[in-house]
Amino acid sequence: MLSRRRETITGNKVAKKLPSIKPVKARRIIRRFHLLINKRRVVCGKLGIPIVDNDEVRNKEVISAANTTDALRKAYEAGWQMDHPNSKMEAALLQVQTMEERQELVKMLGYVMGEMHARGGLQNYQLASTIGQDGKRGGDSSKVLVSWFREMFQKGEIDNKRKFSALEIGCLSAKNHISTSGIFNPVIRIDLNSNDAMCIERQNFMERPLPTGDGDRFDLISCSLVLNFVPSPAERGRMILRFQEFLRRDIPSTYLFVVLPLPCMNNSRYMDTGHFCDMMSSLGYRKLQYREAKKLVYFLFEHETPVSLTGVSKERVLQREQQRFQKRAKLHDKPGMNNFSIVL
């Protein structure tokens, strides 16, 4: 008969085996969760419900309290209890921008919240994200960053004794390469839906308090698979502009690591690698490294801090260059292309 003991014969607790999710399923779960988040944002905007990006407990309470009449409560409950997926509701989700009838919007909100909170959507997302970034599965994008830094150490381009402080936006694991390489110390990790409260702070980067000095800034910012989930081109632009506030200004060089899905660069009407690098150049960044993988694209930029700028004339040149990126311009146009773009 098999033993049911929870301890080994030495008295140690039996380690729990982590669940396994195939990469295809993990990606599907992550895409679905971000779809729900984006559609909820649109619905709540139409209903005038103030939600935040980093507090699901509060959001659930605020949304529940907003249903102030019996009719709205019934509509919300009907959506919550629907089977998932519901073909009619899924079609409505795709057309939510055109919907105006309040009761239908509340029903849709119940449908979204029911999947997120009653059917394990949030927990599945956190699990899929964590397992998807497991280095054994090839999902840890920061291993590319670490390999680039080690190359620069070997070439003598940077001091191999220097420790780089890092801010990791959208961190999924405190055991990834950026945290275990020994190159980056300290590493401040933030994510909208942290699944490790001890090591990863639950925070929206756009709401992070601005630094008061270089002691609060960083040598490196890592932004891996975050920009593509920011809902609008203007908001992506604001995020990129905000990076500069968190990079140190008391040293000549700081760094920015960006990872995006490959289709954002090679299948967009409004964006490609050259356009993105030109945009970053107008903000004072110089591309150091670039890599295309099967599904992702990786960038490492060096930032020219204000210390290294050569006077007002250069700043004026950069400002004129930035005007080019204040409106969306069509660069390519083929069937099946996406509309990913960034507007400063």
Side-chain angles (χ1 to χ4, degrees), residues 55-292:
D55 192 342
E56 280 304 309
V57 174
R58 178 180 178 276
N59 286 340
K60 189 177 178 182
E61 293 173 351
V62 169
I63 289 171
S64 180
N67 300 318
T68 54
T69 67
D70 288 342
L72 292 179
R73 280 192 289 272
K74 288 180 180 178
Y76 184 79
E77 189 66 24
W80 183 284
Q81 294 180 354
M82 277 185 170
D83 291 333
H84 287 247
N86 178 284
S87 58
K88 183 178 179 181
M89 193 60 72
E90 293 295 324
L93 277 175
L94 299 178
Q95 303 297 323
V96 64
Q97 286 85 354
T98 63
M99 294 179 62
E100 299 297 337
E101 207 284 312
R102 188 173 183 84
Q103 197 160 316
E104 286 301 311
L105 286 169
V106 170
K107 185 177 181 180
M108 181 179 293
L109 187 56
Y111 179 79
V112 170
M113 292 293 287
E115 181 169 337
M116 290 175 62
H117 292 275
R119 293 169 177 81
L122 179 58
Q123 292 84 353
N124 288 339
Y125 165 73
Q126 292 172 334
L127 178 61
S129 297
T130 302
I131 292 176
Q133 201 182 71
D134 186 348
K136 295 178 181 178
R137 301 284 291 276
D140 181 4
S141 61
S142 71
K143 66 184 179 182
V144 175
L145 170 67
V146 170
S147 71
W148 281 340
F149 264 75
R150 287 184 172 146
E151 285 178 17
M152 289 191 290
F153 289 147
Q154 291 174 357
K155 294 177 181 178
E157 296 173 350
I158 50 178
D159 183 0
N160 59 7
K161 295 180 180 179
R162 176 182 165 189
K163 296 297 182 183
F164 295 80
S165 59
L167 174 64
E168 187 179 8
I169 304 169
C171 178
L172 301 176
S173 170
K175 296 180 180 180
N176 60 9
H177 282 68
I178 195 172
S179 294
T180 59
S181 66
I183 298 172
F184 305 97
N185 185 30
V187 179
I188 303 300
R189 310 173 190 88
I190 63 174
D191 188 56
L192 289 178
N193 295 290
S194 169
N195 55 14
D196 183 353
M198 293 293 291
C199 299
I200 305 171
E201 182 179 357
R202 178 173 290 187
Q203 186 182 67
N204 181 347
F205 170 69
M206 298 304 290
E207 296 174 2
R208 185 176 178 86
L210 290 174
T212 57
D214 282 303
D216 299 324
R217 296 188 178 99
F218 301 89
D219 297 273
L220 168 96
I221 293 175
S222 170
C223 181
S224 177
L225 297 175
V226 175
L227 267 175
N228 50 300
F229 286 119
V230 176
S232 74
E235 288 174 276
R236 294 177 201 128
R238 284 194 288 273
M239 188 175 198
I240 285 177
L241 289 170
R242 205 168 198 259
F243 289 154
Q244 297 176 78
E245 299 288 342
F246 290 86
L247 290 171
R248 287 176 61 183
R249 301 173 181 180
D250 61 335
I251 53 176
S253 296
T254 51
Y255 302 91
L256 173 65
F257 178 62
V258 177
V259 183
L260 288 164
L262 183 58
C264 291
M265 291 292 129
N266 72 355
N267 195 42
S268 169
R269 296 179 179 87
Y270 303 98
M271 183 62 67
D272 57 29
T273 301
H275 187 76
F276 182 60
C277 290
D278 287 347
M279 176 185 293
M280 299 305 292
S281 177
S282 76
L283 297 173
Y285 294 90
R286 180 170 67 95
K287 185 188 74 174
L288 293 182
Q289 297 282 0
Y290 169 78
R291 180 183 297 180
E292 278 188 21

